[in-house]
Amino acid sequence: MSDASEDKQSGTGAATGPAGPRPEEIRFFGTTWLDHTGHYGLRRAGVAAGSLAAAVAGCFVLRFAYQGLEIAEVGGFVNTLVVVMFAICSAIAFRKTWEGFGRRPADPAREDALRSLKAIGFVGSLLAYFFRSLTEAPGEKLRRAEYEEAVARFEKRRAKSSGNPSGRPSGARRPKRR
C-alpha cells in the first residue's frame, strides 16, 4: 500500500487523522475487520445469509431458464450444453473468487477478461463469498497482511528519520559532520 493510495482511501488529499497507513475498506464491513468492532459478527452472519440466499435465488432463476428451454423444445443437446456451461462457469467463478480472497491478481487485464465468465457463473462467486464469510470477512486475511506490512514499513521509516530524535532506536546517533 503506497502513501498516495492511503491518501486516496481517506478521500482527502492530505492526511487528516493519525499519521501512518490506513486500513483498506472491505465491502459491507468498512474497516471494522481490523479490530472486529461495529457488530462485525452480525455483519459476517448477514453477509453469509445474504450470499447464500442470493445463490439459492440464482439457482431458481437458472431453473426457470432451463424450464423455458424445455418448453421451447430446443433439444437434449442444447439443454445439456447449457447445464454444462453454467456448471463449468460456476466452478471457475468459485475458484477465481476464492483465490481473490487470498492474493491480488498478478495480471489485472486477465481478471478483466474473466469478468463475463464470472458473471455467467455468479452462483459460484456467491457460494465462495458465503463459505469465506463463515470464517472471516471476505478478503480480510489478505488486507490484514498488507496492512500489517504497511504499518511495519511506516514504523521502520519513521524510526530512521533523522529529524525526529524520539523516533530513533536507542543507541543510534547522528554521524558527526566535518
Side-chain angles (χ1 to χ4, degrees), residues 55-78:
V56 169
C59 288
F60 277 119
V61 169
L62 292 176
R63 180 174 181 234
F64 294 140
Y66 182 78
Q67 287 177 342
L69 290 174
E70 284 183 339
I71 291 170
E73 297 177 2
V74 293
F77 177 73
V78 172

Side-chain angles (χ1 to χ4, degrees), residues 16-84:
T16 56
R22 291 174 184 76
E24 187 177 348
E25 292 187 3
I26 297 178
R27 183 180 306 164
F28 305 120
F29 295 92
T31 58
T32 61
W33 60 267
L34 189 60
D35 52 5
H36 295 185
T37 58
H39 305 292
Y40 171 81
L42 290 174
R43 288 179 191 215
R44 258 192 37 215
V47 165
S51 59
L52 184 62
V56 169
C59 288
F60 277 119
V61 169
L62 292 176
R63 180 174 181 234
F64 294 140
Y66 182 78
Q67 287 177 342
L69 290 174
E70 284 183 339
I71 291 170
E73 297 177 2
V74 293
F77 177 73
V78 172
N79 287 344
T80 304
L81 190 65
V82 167
V83 169
V84 169

Side-chain angles (χ1 to χ4, degrees), residues 98-139:
W98 192 265
E99 287 175 355
F101 295 143
R103 62 180 163 81
R104 300 279 181 186
D107 185 12
R110 185 163 186 233
E111 288 298 314
D112 287 342
L114 290 174
R115 186 174 290 156
S116 59
L117 188 132
K118 286 169 114 178
I120 293 169
F122 67 97
V123 173
S125 290
L126 288 169
L127 289 175
Y129 214 77
F130 166 72
F131 286 120
R132 181 58 82 154
S133 62
L134 292 177
T135 58
E136 67 175 9

Side-chain angles (χ1 to χ4, degrees), residues 162-163 168 173-178:
S162 61
R168 275 192 230 132
R173 292 186 171 205
R174 180 184 255 172
K176 292 182 180 181
R177 293 188 182 174
R178 294 182 185 193

